[in-house]
RNA sequence: GCCAGGAUGGCCGAACGGUAAGGCGCACGCCUGGAAAGCGUGUUCCCAUACGGGAUUCUGGGUUCAAAUCCCAGUCCUGGCGCCA
């Protein structure tokens, strides 16, 4: 949500943000018009109420003095004022509610340095890492979805049987690789980047989804609703499966006032994430790349307003460090104004290199980019929605903090990159060194034998 | 799940139909050689350029000229009982 004073004083900036982000459901003119009328009514209502307060006070005095006749007269007057007041306040309340609803649709204003652009084609590559000394790769790299099924590390078809398409079983060393990545990331952020661990609740209320900006409108179709269908109306405390730990963790201190010495607050959260990804099917999404349930380590920061730009840089570095330690080549891109999300002020994405499948937008040497992290500065946009404030000095009034977050990082695509980039000629997978302590010292993943009669059909008969 | 009690400012805590005491913390000032103590002022939100005004006792309704206070519903917390990985 934007500061209403910004809407009043800099409508052109807001209009520009609406246009560049293409938020066509936001109606700025209607907001401005309603706000002007609301302020008129507010002044009128305050004045009527003042008159009524004066009369009410006099009634008390008259009653105490025993002057019943005068008191009756005053009570009558008070009644007249009340009906006038009711009419004015009803209109004002109605307007206020309509303004609030509209305000929730306004996008955040992009950072001045964010590249101006229309869509992802205008995103700007900031830098690449790891391409100078690439490890020796097999002639023909097997895509992770084939390799993982063959090695019995991921079971897509049985996942679909049990939970539907987009859900999968991780098995044996596949599951262990996922656990190892998880523990490695948590430990890196906690021990070296100063993060505090959080394990959040998985269901979140509609109000939490609104606090971070997923609701209303922007994410409803992609959310997993608990009880009820997505296209049906929802209440504030209806529950949804979290699409990212950003939602529960950012809303954790909703409606609270933090102390100056609490900041900056750095939380690292692990959670599964649930997304419907409606209609996303095809070669781009095959395998463990775009699924309905996936694990992610999320970094959430609360900072003082003047520190968010600097912290944003630090946040990108912290996410990058995960890929560097894993030895996975990647690039950082800055998202242009037209491609960034509604609540975003500035956004950098980390894309890891998955060398098996050549995709049109991939790097020159083949393979493709997979987004594994999105590092974002939301300024006070989420803080206003969720009511996240801090008190700069004990005696001063509270101010909205700035929120930032970054994936640190999404696990499935890291698994994909490892399966493809660390693939060997003999079809085994070398485990990145930093993960070995979390896998009992194991260095290589060789796969497992299939289970059941389907194994016979797969050509493994004796 | 049942029964009982509770929710008041950053924190603690009074008032129980007549318009929100007091304390702590914090800030500023006075005092002091300096500090402590003491004293004074301030310390929520909204409208208004300002003077000033309005709102605010968990949330939403209701009764009343008037609600922190009475009534109804909800949320959360605490205690007891029950149930239970």
């Amino acid at each position: 949500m934007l500061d209403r004073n910004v809407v009043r004083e800099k409508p052109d900036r807001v209009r520009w943000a609406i246009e560049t982000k293409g938020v066509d459901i936001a109606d700025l003119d209607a907001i401005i018009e309603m706000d002007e009328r609301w302020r008129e009514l507010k002044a009128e209502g305050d004045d009527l109420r003042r008159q009524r307060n004066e009369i009410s006070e006099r009634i008390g005095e008259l009653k105490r003095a025993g002057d019943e006749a005068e008191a009756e007269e005053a009570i009558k007057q008070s009644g007249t004022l009340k009906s006038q007041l009711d009419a004015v306040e009803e209109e004002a309340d109605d307007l206020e509610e309509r303004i609030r609803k509209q305000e929730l649709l306004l996008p955040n204003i992009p950072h001045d340095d964010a590249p101006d652009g229309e869509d992802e084609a205008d995103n700007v590559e900031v830098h690449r890492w790891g391409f100078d000394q690439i490890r020796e790769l097999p002639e023909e790299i097997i895509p992770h979805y084939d390799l993982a099924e063959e090695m019995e590390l991921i079971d897509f078809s049985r996942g679909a049987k049990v939970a539907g398409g987009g859900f999968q079983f991780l098995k044996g060393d596949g599951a262990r690789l996922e656990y190892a990545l998880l523990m490695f990331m948590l430990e890196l952020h906690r021990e070296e980047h100063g993060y505090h661990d959080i394990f959040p609740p998985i269901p979140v209320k509609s109000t939490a989804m609104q606090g971070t900006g997923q609701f209303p409108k922007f994410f409803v179709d992609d959310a997993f609703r608990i009880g009820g269908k997505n296209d049906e109306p929802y209440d504030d405390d209806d529950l949804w499966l979290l699409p990212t730990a950003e939602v529960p963790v950012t809303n954790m201190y909703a409606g609270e006032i933090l102390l100056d010495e609490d900041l900056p607050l750095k939380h690292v959260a692990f959670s599964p994430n649930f997304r419907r990804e409606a209609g996303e099917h095809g070669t781009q999404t095959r395998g463990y790349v775009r699924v309905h349930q996936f694990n992610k380590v999320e970094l959430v920061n609360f900072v003082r307003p003047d520190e968010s730009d600097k912290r944003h840089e630090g946040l990108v570095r912290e996410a990058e460090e995960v890929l560097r330690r894993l030895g996975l080549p990647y690039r950082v891109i800055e998202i242009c104004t037209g491609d960034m999300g509604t609540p975003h002020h500035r956004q950098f994405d980390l894309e890891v290199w998955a060398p098996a499948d050549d995709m049109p937008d991939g790097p020159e040497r083949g393979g493709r980019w997979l987004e594994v992290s999105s590092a974002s500065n939301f300024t006070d946009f989420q803080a206003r929605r969720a009511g996240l404030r801090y008190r700069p000095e004990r005696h001063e009034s509270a101010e909205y903090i700035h929120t930032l977050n970054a994936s640190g990082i999404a696990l499935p695509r890291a698994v994909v990159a490892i399966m493809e980039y660390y693939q060997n000629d003999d079809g085994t997978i070398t485990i990145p060194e930093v993960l070995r302590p979390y896998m009992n010292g194991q260095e290589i993943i060789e796969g497992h034998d299939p289970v059941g009669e389907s194994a016979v059909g797969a050509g493994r008969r004796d």
Side-chain angles (χ1 to χ4, degrees), chain A residues 272-310:
Chain A
N273 299 252
F274 299 86
R275 300 180 187 182
R276 300 190 82 90
E277 309 288 6
E280 300 275 358
H281 293 289
T283 51
Q284 299 267 350
T285 62
R286 196 171 164 198
Y288 204 27
V289 166
R290 178 160 295 175
V291 292
H292 291 325
Q293 178 188 334
F294 64 97
N295 294 318
K296 180 158 61 68
V297 168
E298 184 75 8
L299 308 172
V300 178
N301 289 190
F302 300 124
V303 304
R304 299 179 191 94
D306 57 350
E307 291 169 353
S308 65
D309 272 336
K310 188 137 187 289

Side-chain angles (χ1 to χ4, degrees), chain A residues 159-372:
Chain A
K161 177 169 68 182
V162 170
F167 294 92
Q168 57 287 314
F169 286 98
L170 298 181
K171 303 191 292 191
D173 285 351
R176 293 179 66 224
L177 180 62
E178 181 109 355
Y179 299 150
L181 270 167
L182 172 61
M183 295 313 293
F184 156 68
M185 291 181 200
L186 291 176
E187 203 165 301
L188 170 66
H189 296 310
R190 176 179 56 247
E191 303 300 331
E192 299 191 37
H193 297 151
Y195 277 84
H196 187 70
D197 289 86
I198 300 285
F199 183 60
I202 308 303
V204 291
K205 292 182 185 179
S206 312
T207 45
M209 293 285 259
Q210 182 171 297
T212 27
Q214 277 78 10
F215 284 11
K217 308 281 188 197
F218 302 118
F219 191 77
V220 179
D221 291 343
D222 262 338
F224 266 96
R225 186 169 182 174
I226 302 180
K229 297 194 168 154
N230 285 48
D231 52 4
E232 290 168 356
Y234 56 84
D235 289 330
D236 281 354
D237 34 3
D238 282 347
L239 292 171
W240 311 73
L241 294 178
L242 86 189
T244 159
E246 164 194 353
V247 177
V249 178
T250 305
N251 283 283
M252 193 171 162
Y253 303 104
E256 295 191 43
I257 297 173
L258 302 172
L259 300 173
D260 184 62
E261 59 260 37
D262 292 331
L263 304 176
L265 202 52
K266 298 170 79 179
H267 287 328
V268 57
F270 154 71
S271 82
N273 299 252
F274 299 86
R275 300 180 187 182
R276 300 190 82 90
E277 309 288 6
E280 300 275 358
H281 293 289
T283 51
Q284 299 267 350
T285 62
R286 196 171 164 198
Y288 204 27
V289 166
R290 178 160 295 175
V291 292
H292 291 325
Q293 178 188 334
F294 64 97
N295 294 318
K296 180 158 61 68
V297 168
E298 184 75 8
L299 308 172
V300 178
N301 289 190
F302 300 124
V303 304
R304 299 179 191 94
D306 57 350
E307 291 169 353
S308 65
D309 272 336
K310 188 137 187 289
R311 185 79 279 273
H312 195 193
E313 291 170 21
L315 196 53
V316 174
R317 278 199 306 275
E318 287 161 358
E320 279 182 70
E321 189 61 22
V322 174
L323 296 172
R324 292 186 184 207
R325 302 254 178 133
L326 289 169
L328 292 170
Y330 69 91
R331 69 168 179 172
V332 178
I333 56 173
E334 173 160 17
I335 306 302
C336 74
T337 55
D339 195 33
M340 71 172 73
T342 311
H344 296 68
H345 176 64
R346 197 173 193 187
Q347 180 182 357
F348 294 95
D349 281 3
L350 268 60
E351 297 183 333
V352 73
W353 183 47
D357 276 319
D358 293 342
M359 295 277 172
D361 295 329
E364 307 73 44
R365 62 172 308 134
R368 61 164 156 171
W369 299 115
L370 287 178
E371 182 189 329
V372 289

Side-chain angles (χ1 to χ4, degrees), chain A residues 181 185 326 328 352 372 409-419:
Chain A
L181 270 167
M185 291 181 200
L326 289 169
L328 292 170
V352 73
V372 289
I409 58 175
L411 277 89
R413 292 176 182 176
V415 167
V416 169
I418 289 170
M419 287 181 169

Side-chain angles (χ1 to χ4, degrees), chain A residues 440-459:
Chain A
N440 214 17
Q442 190 173 329
E443 295 176 13
I444 303 276
I445 291 177
E446 294 178 329
H448 308 285
D449 289 334
V451 168
E453 286 199 344
S454 58
V456 180

Side-chain angles (χ1 to χ4, degrees), chain A residues 108 351 384 387 401:
Chain A
N108 200 355
E351 297 183 333
R384 284 180 187 279
I401 58 165

